[in-house]
């Protein structure tokens, strides 16, 4: 089997590699644009291009890799074949190229190409969920539809079909990813921690989840993108964000984060989930005029979404390739760099005097983190599965 065939044989390989490469490329170019001329898409506002590509480019790739890998395990359905993975990656890449060429291509064509990936992913997931259509899994189709709708809002303004829909669409897309993490992270973080504790011989004081706590916390997280698209008043949106943030932190408190301190592959999950909660609380406070909204947004985006996707992508890549669930040193360092990038970017939005150098530093930290991820896991994406048990 050639490396390319192997790469396209499993969803996590192709999409987690694509996500890492795009994380470096997109943020690298964005950061460079602050100091030297960079040919960003001329037809689009640069800030909107930056946000769009991280949410619907990087974020969608991370989602694709996870769902194409996890759903067959949940349902017992056959995994996607090489042809589908190749087509899906090609369509995702076509969306990135189309957005980049927005000044050359007709904007309706840009929208059509960019909006095509998530429906293809959702259709594939739906065929796999049919085997075991549990409500807790079928809900992911609804969340994908919500993220897709947010992207549609962005394109409607870019095509000048509607006014003032791009910014709500971008924010709703980010909060849609947060809702995904509230559900998925709320499953895997305590489960992986419990497994590690059990392997270590711990039989008591294991991570616990409570339906009465999970349900309102997840509902609030899902309500955030809906409230954003519906243009709810700041007081309502802020209240939902505060509830969602406090709910995630309350859930995390019962997952035994203290046990993970000597295991980067575990504490990265806990820390990122915690930053989702902190970022949402900062977002809620900013809606009431307390703090910088842009700073809060980047705590959620960099520390929360970026950190959680990095943690999940690296763990899944190691586990599904038969390798031990121990983060390589470069990946463990990357886990540290992303929260630091979030803190620096929050400072850039909060303190005007350091805005430019702090923004540059945050971009450099993000790019370095994903470069280390790529270097460490490059053989995993292209190489054969090893015989060493992952558990």
């Amino acid at each position: 089997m050639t490396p390319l065939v192997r790469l396209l044989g499993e969803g996590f390989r192709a999409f987690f590699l694509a996500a890492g490469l795009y994380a470096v490329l997109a943020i690298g170019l964005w950061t460079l644009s602050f100091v030297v001329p960079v040919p960003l898409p001329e037809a689009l506002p640069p800030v909107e291009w930056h946000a769009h590509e991280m949410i619907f480019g990087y974020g969608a790739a991370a989602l694709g890799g996870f769902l194409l890998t996890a759903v067959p395990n949940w349902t017992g359905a056959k995994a996607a074949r090489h042809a589908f993975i190749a087509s899906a990656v090609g369509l995702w890449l076509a969306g990135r190229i189309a957005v980049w060429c927005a000044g050359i291509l007709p904007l309706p064509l840009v929208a059509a190409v960019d909006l095509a990936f998530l429906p293809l992913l959702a259709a594939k997931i739906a065929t796999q969920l049919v085997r075991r259509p549990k409500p807790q899994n079928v809900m992911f189709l609804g969340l994908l539809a919500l993220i897709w709708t947010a992207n549609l809002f962005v394109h409607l303004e870019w095509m000048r079909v509607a006014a003032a829909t791009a910014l709500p669409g971008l924010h709703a897309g980010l909060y849609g990813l947060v809702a995904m993490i509230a559900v998925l992270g709320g499953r895997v973080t305590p489960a992986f921690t419990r497994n590690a504790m059990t392997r270590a011989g711990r039989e008591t004081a294991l991570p616990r989840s409570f339906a009465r706590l999970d349900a309102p916390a997840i509902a609030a997280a899902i309500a955030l993108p809906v409230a954003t698209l519906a243009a709810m008043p700041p007081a309502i949106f802020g209240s939902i964000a505060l509830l969602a943030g406090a709910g995630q932190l309350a859930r995390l408190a019962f997952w035994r984060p203290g046990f993970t301190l000597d295991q980067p592959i575990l504490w990265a999950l806990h820390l990122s989930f915690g930053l989702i909660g902190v970022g949402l609380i900062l977002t809620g406070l900013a809606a009431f005029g307390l703090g910088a909204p842009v700073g809060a947004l980047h705590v959620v985006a960099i520390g929360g979404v970026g950190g959680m996707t990095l943690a999940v992508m690296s763990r899944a890549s190691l586990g599904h390739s038969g390798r031990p669930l121990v983060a390589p040193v470069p990946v463990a360092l990357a886990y540290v760099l992303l929260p630091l990038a979030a803190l620096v970017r929050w400072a850039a939005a909060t303190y005007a005097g350091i805005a430019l150098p702090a923004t540059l530093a945050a971009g450099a930290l993000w790019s370095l983190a994903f470069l280390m991820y790529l270097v460490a896991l490059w053989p995993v994406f292209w190489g054969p599965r090893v015989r060493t048990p992952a558990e």
Side-chain angles (χ1 to χ4, degrees), residues 7 57 80 83 94 110-111 138 146 159 165 196 264 275 302 304 309 317 328 354 378:
L7 178 72
V110 172
V138 174
L146 190 56
M159 292 186 295
T165 59
L275 286 173
I302 300 173
T309 49
S317 297
I354 61 169
W378 192 265

Side-chain angles (χ1 to χ4, degrees), residues 10 21 36 52 97 132 146 161 197-198 223 310 371 373 388:
E10 297 176 274
L21 289 170
V36 297
H52 181 274
I97 295 172
R132 297 178 185 173
L146 190 56
V161 173
M197 294 177 74
T198 302
L310 176 65
L371 185 60
Y373 157 84
T388 304

Side-chain angles (χ1 to χ4, degrees), residues 174-183 185-186 189 217 220-221 224 240-252 255 268-284 296-309 339 342:
L174 175 62
Y175 298 137
L177 294 177
V178 167
M180 280 280 192
I181 290 172
V183 179
T189 303
L224 268 182
I240 296 173
L242 289 171
L243 177 60
Q248 310 320 315
L249 292 179
R251 299 170 74 197
L252 180 62
W255 295 344
L269 295 168
H270 287 256
L271 178 58
S272 302
F273 200 88
L275 286 173
I276 287 282
V278 171
L280 291 179
I281 290 175
L282 291 174
T283 299
L297 200 71
H298 282 87
V299 172
V300 173
I302 300 173
V305 175
M308 182 60 79
T309 49

Side-chain angles (χ1 to χ4, degrees), residues 58-240:
Y58 167 80
L63 269 182
F66 180 85
L67 292 175
L68 288 174
T69 304
V71 172
N73 289 336
W74 296 340
T75 62
K78 290 184 178 179
R81 297 181 180 276
H82 292 74
F84 178 86
I85 294 174
S87 300
V89 172
L91 190 56
W92 173 85
L93 180 59
R96 313 286 53 81
I97 295 172
V99 171
W100 187 270
C101 297
I104 303 172
L105 300 174
L107 290 176
L109 177 60
V110 172
V113 175
D114 184 46
L115 288 166
F117 171 67
L118 285 183
L120 177 68
L121 176 63
K124 184 61 177 179
I125 298 305
T127 63
Q128 295 172 333
L129 289 175
V130 165
R131 288 179 60 93
R132 297 178 185 173
K134 296 181 180 180
Q136 62 266 38
N137 292 334
V138 174
M139 70 181 299
F140 294 122
L141 297 177
L143 291 174
L144 286 174
L146 190 56
I147 295 171
W148 183 89
T149 302
N151 196 9
L152 175 63
F153 268 52
V154 179
H155 283 285
L156 288 176
E157 181 173 342
W158 286 356
M159 292 186 295
R160 298 177 179 83
V161 173
T165 59
L167 193 58
L170 292 169
H171 288 177
L174 175 62
Y175 298 137
L177 294 177
V178 167
M180 280 280 192
I181 290 172
V183 179
L184 291 171
R187 290 186 188 181
V188 303
T189 303
F192 292 161
T193 305
R194 185 181 300 107
N195 292 343
M197 294 177 74
T198 302
R199 288 194 299 270
R202 291 279 296 271
E203 298 180 358
T204 60
L206 299 176
R208 300 177 65 190
S209 296
F210 304 91
R212 291 183 179 180
L213 180 57
D214 290 349
I218 292 173
I222 295 173
L224 268 182
V226 176
T228 303
L229 293 176
M232 291 290 185
I236 295 178
F237 172 82
S239 298
I240 296 173

Side-chain angles (χ1 to χ4, degrees), residues 2 4 44 66 90 312 349 358:
T2 67
L4 180 59
L44 306 176
F66 180 85
V312 170

